Amino acid sequence: MSEAVSSLQSAEFEGLARVAEAGLQGMITLRGDLGARAVRAAVKAAFGVDVPDVNNVASAGHMGVCWMSPDELLLLCPHGEAEAKVAELGTALAKQHHLAVNVSDARAMFQVKGSGGREVLGKLCPLDFAPGKFEPGQIRRTRMAQVPAAVWMDGVDTFRVVCFRSMARYVFGALKAAADPASGVGVY
Amino acid sequence: MLILTCPYCGVDADETELTPGGEAHLTRHGPGSSDDDFHDYLFARDNPRGVHFERWRHTYGCGKWFHAARSTDTLEVFGTYPAQTTEPPKDICDKISGERPGWSWRIFG
Amino acid sequence: MSLRLRDGGRLIDRSARMAFQFDGRSLTGFAGDTLASALLANDKMLVGRSFKYHRPRGVVASGAEEPNALVNLAQGGTFEPNQRATTTELFDGLTATSQNHWPSLEHDIGAVNSSLARFLPAGFYYKTFIHPRPFWKHIYEPFIRQSAGLGKAPKDRDADRYEHFYYFCDLVVIGGGVAGLQAARVAGEAGAKVLLLEQSAHWGGRAPVDGGEIDGRPAEAWVTDTLAVLEAMPNVTLRSRCMGAGVYDHGYLLAYERLTDHAPQADGPRHRLWRIRTQQIITATGAIERPLSFAGNDIPGVMLASAVRDYVVNYGVAPGQRTVVVTNNDDGYRTAICLKQAGLDVPRILDARETGGGALMEEARALGIRIDCGRAVGKVQGGKRVKSVQVCAQKGSGSALEEVACDAVAMSGGWSPVVHLWSHCGGKLVWDDVQAHFRPDADRPPLGRSGQGFVAVAGAANGALTGAVADADAMARGVVQAIGLKPGKGIAPAETQPEELPIEPVWLMPAQAKTELKAKAWLDYQNDVKVSDVQLAAREGFESVEHTKRYTTLGMATDQGKLSNINGLAILSDALGQPIPQTGTTTFRPPYTPISMGAIAGEARGDIFQPVRETPMYGWNDSNGADWEPVGHWRRPYAYVRSGETVHDAVMREVTNTRENVGLLDASTLGKLIVKGPDAGKFLDMLYTNMMSTLKPGRCRYGLMCTENGFLTDDGVVARIDEDTFLCHTTTGGADRIHAHMEEWLQTEWWDWQVYVANVTEQYAQIGVVGPKARAVLETLGGMDLSAEALPFMAWADGKIGAFDARAYRVSFSGELSYEIAVPASRGQAFWDALLEAGKAHGIMPYGTEALHIMRAEKGFIMIGDETDGTVIPQDLGLNWAISKKKDDYLGKRAQERVHMTDPDRWKLVGLETVDGSVLPDGAYAVAEGTNANGQRNMQGRVTSTYHSPTLGKGIAMGLVKHGPDRMGEVLEFPGTDGTVFKAKIVDPVFYDKDGDKQNV
Amino acid sequence: MKRYSAFAIAREALRHHSGWERAWASPEPKRKYDVIIVGAGGHGLATAYYLGKNFGITNVAVLEKGWLGGGNTGRNTTIIRSNYLQDASAAIYEKSRSLYEDLSQDLNYNVMFSPRGVMMLAQTHHEVRGYQRTAHANALQGVATEYIGPERVKELCPIICIDGPRYPVLGALWQPRGGTARHDAVAWGYARACSAMGMDIIQKCEVTGVRSEGGKVRGVETSKGPIECDKLGVVVAGHSGVLAEMAGFRLPIESVALQALVSEPIKPCMDVVVMANTVHGYMSQSDKGEMVIGGGADGYNNYTQRGSFHHIEETVRALIETFPMISRLKMLRQWGGIVDMTGDRSPILSKTPLEGCFINCGWGTGGFKAIPGSGWGMAQLMATGASPLTAEFSLDRFKEGRFIDESVAAGVAH
């Protein structure tokens, strides 16, 4: 049987930072009352981390939970486990009004790695990426050039970017342009 | 470039992350309503030169609709608040009255 | 003549020669020169021609305010018109040409305008060229356009790239002069995050040229020290060659960084546009010297006094060997002193003030310079360069007392603060009578989000022509507190400058200048606006300063009036007999100086001009003949063109093959929205015109959505997944729009309803397998039971097809046996390949959107965007069957009850068939008898879609016709745009398989 | 009033232009007028002019809170066209365009109407169909337009890139007699002509209230005192809501900022007006040589004449794609104007709930081109109570659901 493929099949570019499509990634959208005990318990049980605060991410190994909205989380897991996790949440939340759906293939993920990462993203998103203003653990849904994206840090100099799958080539192009080795800004 | 604070996620978002949605606190009129009421609901707008209550969506952020009280002549923002309400919060109205004596909400009632 | 001095020039490196070209002549300059200083060093006094009269123009200033020295720079993909020589850093290999002349700079035919000047006063074109009518467009206008326009138009595609950068800070200080440096220092020491911007390549502004001491040290030394202090502060960022371009509301600031203009060979972006959000802004943008308005003040060699000493001190260039200095203030003396000290001749200082000036005058006199007080320039003699000046009494009408030979004139009319950035967002100005200029009114600043001021002004820009550092220090302390920080203890550095006596405003020189002198006294050098023009405007009733500006074009040149505005409105005020503040200023608009369009567009060019949204099969489609059709940001194959085929051939082939064998459609762009919750059914009943809550799990139903204003906005098939979950399909353009529509109603109107929505459009590759052999193809792959019994029409089921997890929808938009199969996007291409393989034996072929459209038209199915255009309601399209009578409400229901919506005369959907089988023109209208009250031909219908149907071998169309459904068989006339008239019969819109047998097997 | 001509200029030149008289008088208001027009912009002045010219009503005052022509008349991108889809729009805009043809002669003031041609690019199949439909409609409406192919587009405007990878030019709707005019001159020309007919144009006179009795208008309160009138015309683009509030009714209008910009002047390189609606940009070259570029409108209510930068960004970005050569031009100046947006984006020329009070507003982004036609129709409406040009644009259309929607053919109102 054929292998599943990600949007850009791990294309990468080396510049002010290393920009790489991160390959297949399990992603689940969960909508529900994030304050409800049942929801928090179900997330903890399935992903091993607590529901994070507003504009934060929590992760443990391959599992992660991203705050997206007052009633929405983006749950991260290995690509192959997404369907099972959706089912697990469905069972756990059977009595709770919620919506859990596999969006792994509806999204693309990029990794922007290196000391130039803050500047690269600072050319495309209307956010303050200054050290101290944006740090590991924080997440922002924002505008990346002309498309929506979610951005967070999962290491001192590593950013994760999630966008719609259909826009992956555009986002990669924009990140490459921003990472042009001769375009350093020199403020971070 | 307007900068508004989303009351849901606390982000100070610039206009490019937001979508404007026109006058806030309109009452929906459906089947059974008079022609006048339906017309006013869809089309009649306050459009004041001054304090305006309006709808915005944090489109590129948390995706939530919220309301803003803003001056259309100075662009001062008096406050933002969640959209799940039928009238502006008292503290914002008080703030506006404080700054603009004689101001009251809903000239056209 | 102008020349390079043997020594001096603090900014140039005499060891680094730079070769450049001007009008084809090879010249040399030094590293650190501007193009202007290099041209002057080569005795290029004449550098351009004015806009209207094509008068000879020379360098008049030394910075951003320069109106004259504009050149065409470089060529090909790096060509740029109207480059300001005074702000263009010289680089090796620079090529420039002068502008606005023919055939040459020296001999310009257009200069005839100059001798006709008195026949071409302000606004003359409003009063003539009126008859005969066609002459304006064909004779007069082309002439005027040709003689205007300055630089050449670029021809080639821009070879450079650009970028934006978003930056956040507490304070931006604009201007790297001594005031800006001190302001940044104060804020930096208080711990604020500061960005300091300087438009030029150098720090310190005018101070190093103008002299004086700060903290007991020469200004230049103080600048060096302070820079070092700032550079050591981690919370302060310094940026040169970066101009504060525009202040926007809520503390948004654009800064324009020129990265490679001075080194075009360098890699990387040419310009970077900084999009800055800051709490506070301090503009320390200095002041600009005003010219004096005397006859012949536009002749090459007449320059601002400050510019003259800039060229001497900064570049070791002398604009002239014998320079007459004319001034109405003490500052002008600095130039005389500087020239004398450089060993140059200063035959006269003409001081318009009867009693002259203070310490600087004494210093000049001590140097042996002759100073005549109460004197003025009556007239400058010369053509393409200055020959002499006629001296007269300032109080008189201009009769010459003596004539002084010279080759340059340095004029100083006083200083005007640069208030542009303060004013962009509404900061108000106040007239300062003592210094004779407008300066910011600190009590009326531009207001920010909180209703508090967010811009402050420091130094000369604030009117502190002396004591700029102290002013900046005080201003910065206030701003630091506004940011919520505590300013440090430090005390403002002491400044020692010679005592100056007050300026005496001189708006016209001499005061009673005769008419013919006023007609030669320039206000706006580039646009050729003279004192007499402004007086004429006032006389004709153009009393508002905005009227005068527009009537005379004063201040509308590329310098936006940096030199001319104050002098102009002073003349206007005088003509109106009212004080200057009552006249007021014109509006200041961004940018401070022009910025490149490329920088504004940023990275968005070429491949990343806009996103192109790709389906999982995009690559395959692209390499298999897809003729792309943009649909929103998506691209869909219009048809798959094979070699030797036209697009039309391909479309016909695809339709026929799908009807006879089997076709494959990439339907992945169709929107897919999951709607879940206890109230999901109730919610969808409000969104769709028909009843969705009664749909059974496992079944599909076609639904219509209207706006609250009643118009049809989207349609699609809804599948019920389980008791409280629905999957709603939308049109390709509809996914994001309808998703937002649902969220809006849930969040802002029915927030107590328990419904969640998620957009899963891109999770799936959705593929239509369409045609009589569709089932056979799928069964070849094996897997789930897709028989009519197991999966009847309008049902769906989950299962496996071959190795693929799939959801199969038994729906048809073509009238054929048809399955829409959704598989995870990550396996979309693989599934597509498998289908092609399995379909080989059955003649499978992919088909595009046009074949899709034709097949749906043959079946009489409407298409959103074809049959609908935002003015059509479902009732117009005979879709009443899809409008629930049981529901007492749905979005659009009330709107559809309005009188015009229920009007029986509304045009209704019918089929149209030309009597001769030809294809009706798209968008054609059916005419009725007579004309309306406005003399327009009456109409009774229009074509909404029209195609050649390969299936039926003739043209078929749908249209909206008045009382259409009741007029079956009637023949209507549709005039084409080429005179031909098409006759078409009204028929049933379903042309093919009316009973639906084929889709139902 | 002295006529303007080349001879007059020559005569004046000999005496240094000392003999030119005021272009328009600047009187104090009288106690009462037959008609008061509020707003001395193009539409207000044109209304007054045709009241006098076509109906002999000259006891008219035009009140202006600032300086005449200082609103959108002086801030627009001067495009003149009538290639609209709907009958009502085509009628009033074509009437307007045809009046522009002779306006300079009619007013004895050169408004520099330049029928250089307007083309609206079709860059998607949807636009192709929309413009073909418009061309068919125009043929029946007496509007001379044609649908042309990409080669013709390139021929008419060589600086266009017709095979851009993203949005190739598939064709265009071409109106050869569309064009531009000198916007300020239109206001000044009408003002001079009104003044010559004895009308009072009163600047710096702000209306602060509307007087009525028994549901009928009686006059206005102004910063120069009360002034009586029998009929009142409110023609104050951008501030109609404020005036309507004074008169006690509400309008289906929101006031937003619309932006525009110009480049530095360059030698002639573009002899037509081009509108590219897919990418939301339009451009022409002024007689001074500036590329005049129309930007987008903000989506929120705004009475400052400033807009948001990102609209400029989007417009310039798009135009560079269609006109690559402008990338190396520089933006000289950007500005904003306040425009009235109605529920269907078409204007309102109508009676109001207050008897004797008429309103002309809601021109959105398209007012300049309509000035003569709007004035013509409005004058007829105010003088006779009805005009075929304005009939469809009445206020009650919103209640009846009888909209005039131009967006359907991908057309925009610029």
Side-chain angles (χ1 to χ4, degrees), chain A residues 31-32 67-72 141, chain B residues 5-9 17-19 55-67 81-84, chain C residues 743-744 746-748 755-757:
Chain A
R31 297 198 60 180
W67 189 95
M68 301 296 270
S69 175
D71 58 8
E72 179 178 345
R141 284 171 78 182
Chain B
T5 306
C6 172
Y8 293 95
C9 61
E17 294 190 285
L18 303 168
T19 309
R55 312 184 320 140
W56 288 85
R57 187 182 185 206
H58 193 189
T59 310
Y60 281 89
C62 68
K64 293 303 179 195
W65 281 92
F66 64 90
H67 291 345
Y81 52 99
Q84 292 74 36
Chain C
E743 281 294 340
E744 179 176 354
L746 284 171
Q747 289 180 38
T748 65
V755 182
Y756 285 125
V757 181

Side-chain angles (χ1 to χ4, degrees), chain C residues 480-702:
Chain C
V480 161
Q481 280 160 339
I483 295 170
L485 298 168
K486 220 170 143 302
K489 288 273 170 291
I491 45 150
E495 292 154 279
T496 44
Q497 282 150 329
E499 202 54 42
E500 294 188 25
L501 293 187
I503 180 176
E504 179 180 305
V506 169
W507 307 117
L508 181 58
M509 184 170 259
Q512 309 302 326
K514 307 189 205 83
T515 314
E516 57 268 36
L517 292 181
K518 289 189 291 188
K520 290 271 181 245
W522 260 256
L523 293 167
D524 188 316
Y525 297 117
Q526 187 183 119
N527 277 2
D528 286 316
V529 182
K530 306 172 265 59
V531 169
S532 56
D533 294 313
V534 171
Q535 291 174 328
L536 172 63
R539 190 153 62 245
E540 292 192 84
F542 295 87
E543 295 168 345
S544 148
V545 61
E546 285 285 353
H547 277 159
T548 302
K549 163 189 161 185
R550 290 150 182 269
Y551 190 64
T552 63
T553 73
L554 175 84
M556 293 174 80
T558 59
D559 67 314
Q560 290 284 286
K562 291 186 178 68
L563 291 188
S564 59
N565 278 352
I566 299 297
N567 287 348
L569 64 91
I571 296 291
L572 177 63
S573 304
D574 175 66
L576 299 173
Q578 67 189 25
I580 289 172
Q582 194 175 321
T583 306
T585 66
T586 55
T587 317
F588 295 85
R589 300 285 194 178
Y592 174 58
T593 67
I595 64 176
S596 67
M597 300 283 184
I600 293 169
E603 83 292 334
R605 52 179 58 223
D607 292 348
I608 52 172
F609 160 59
Q610 273 185 2
V612 175
R613 300 182 68 180
E614 304 180 353
T615 72
M617 286 79 81
Y618 182 90
W620 189 94
N621 292 334
D622 196 42
S623 48
N624 285 271
D627 180 62
W628 290 114
E629 171 180 15
V631 186
H633 282 162
W634 290 102
R635 270 186 185 173
R636 302 192 68 185
Y638 180 85
Y640 295 82
V641 185
R642 296 179 169 181
S643 59
E645 276 185 335
T646 65
V647 173
H648 179 75
D649 299 340
V651 171
M652 296 298 120
R653 170 180 52 76
E654 290 170 6
V655 171
T656 308
N657 185 72
T658 305
R659 291 254 183 249
E660 290 172 0
N661 300 308
V662 56
L664 219 48
L665 177 75
D666 180 355
S668 308
T669 58
L670 291 184
K672 306 162 203 70
L673 305 174
I674 301 272
V675 179
K676 181 170 185 278
D679 298 316
K682 177 166 113 184
F683 177 60
L684 294 184
D685 283 346
M686 283 302 295
L687 256 71
Y688 287 91
T689 60
N690 40 356
M691 193 74 89
M692 287 299 168
S693 51
T694 56
L695 183 60
K696 299 264 168 297
R699 307 292 298 180
C700 304
R701 182 173 291 163
Y702 173 75

Side-chain angles (χ1 to χ4, degrees), chain C residues 903-979:
Chain C
D903 184 344
D905 288 347
R906 285 184 75 88
W907 295 358
K908 296 250 164 59
L909 186 80
V910 293
L912 296 165
E913 212 173 291
T914 52
V915 291
D916 61 3
S918 61
V919 178
L920 271 171
D922 209 340
Y925 280 78
V927 289
E929 284 313 306
T931 58
N932 64 20
N934 289 313
Q936 301 168 315
R937 181 69 191 267
N938 287 324
M939 309 179 195
Q940 58 177 328
R942 64 180 180 90
V943 175
T944 57
S945 11
T946 171
Y947 308 91
H948 174 75
S949 161
T951 313
L952 305 162
K954 61 179 180 187
I956 62 167
M958 282 191 261
L960 294 165
V961 175
K962 187 175 177 183
H963 305 143
D966 313 328
R967 298 168 63 183
M968 288 295 153
E970 241 182 89
V971 173
L972 303 177
E973 292 194 342
F974 296 81
T977 49
D978 56 357

Side-chain angles (χ1 to χ4, degrees), chain D residues 292-335:
Chain D
V292 181
I293 294 174
D298 290 326
Y300 56 88
N301 300 42
N302 185 351
Y303 283 93
T304 72
Q305 284 173 334
R306 307 185 295 268
S308 302
F309 170 71
H310 61 101
H311 292 297
I312 296 292
E313 175 194 3
E314 285 152 18
T315 299
V316 168
R317 181 199 290 159
L319 287 177
I320 288 176
E321 186 72 5
T322 311
F323 304 91
M325 55 84 71
I326 70 167
S327 179
R328 291 190 86 89
L329 299 185
K330 299 188 226 67
M331 173 171 79
L332 175 62
R333 181 179 176 90
Q334 71 172 91
W335 67 92

Side-chain angles (χ1 to χ4, degrees), chain C residues 82 100 118 126 130 133 141 148-149 151 158 160 248-249 539-540 547 589 595 605 610-611 944, chain D residues 17 23 68 74 102 105 110 114 116 129 133 166-167 265-267 287 305-306 327-328 331 333-334:
Chain C
N82 303 322
N100 205 38
R118 77 163 27 186
Y126 299 122
I130 294 173
R133 194 183 91 181
E141 187 181 43
D158 192 339
D160 284 303
Y248 297 80
D249 292 294
R539 190 153 62 245
E540 292 192 84
H547 277 159
R589 300 285 194 178
I595 64 176
R605 52 179 58 223
Q610 273 185 2
T944 57
Chain D
H17 303 280
L68 71 88
D102 301 300
Q105 294 72 28
N110 186 359
S114 172
R116 57 185 66 176
R129 303 180 67 250
R133 176 181 166 189
R166 191 69 175 80
Y167 293 114
I266 51 172
K267 291 297 179 188
D287 287 344
Q305 284 173 334
R306 307 185 295 268
S327 179
R328 291 190 86 89
M331 173 171 79
R333 181 179 176 90
Q334 71 172 91

Side-chain angles (χ1 to χ4, degrees), chain A residues 47 49 58-66 74-77:
Chain A
F47 295 83
V49 287
S59 57
H62 292 306
M63 300 298 185
V65 182
C66 309
L74 181 68
L75 307 169
L76 308 173
C77 65

Side-chain angles (χ1 to χ4, degrees), chain C residues 268-281:
Chain C
R270 177 181 173 226
H271 298 149
R272 175 181 296 129
L273 193 69
W274 291 59
R275 307 174 67 161
I276 302 161
R277 274 169 58 176
T278 181
Q279 291 188 53
Q280 291 285 321
I281 296 169

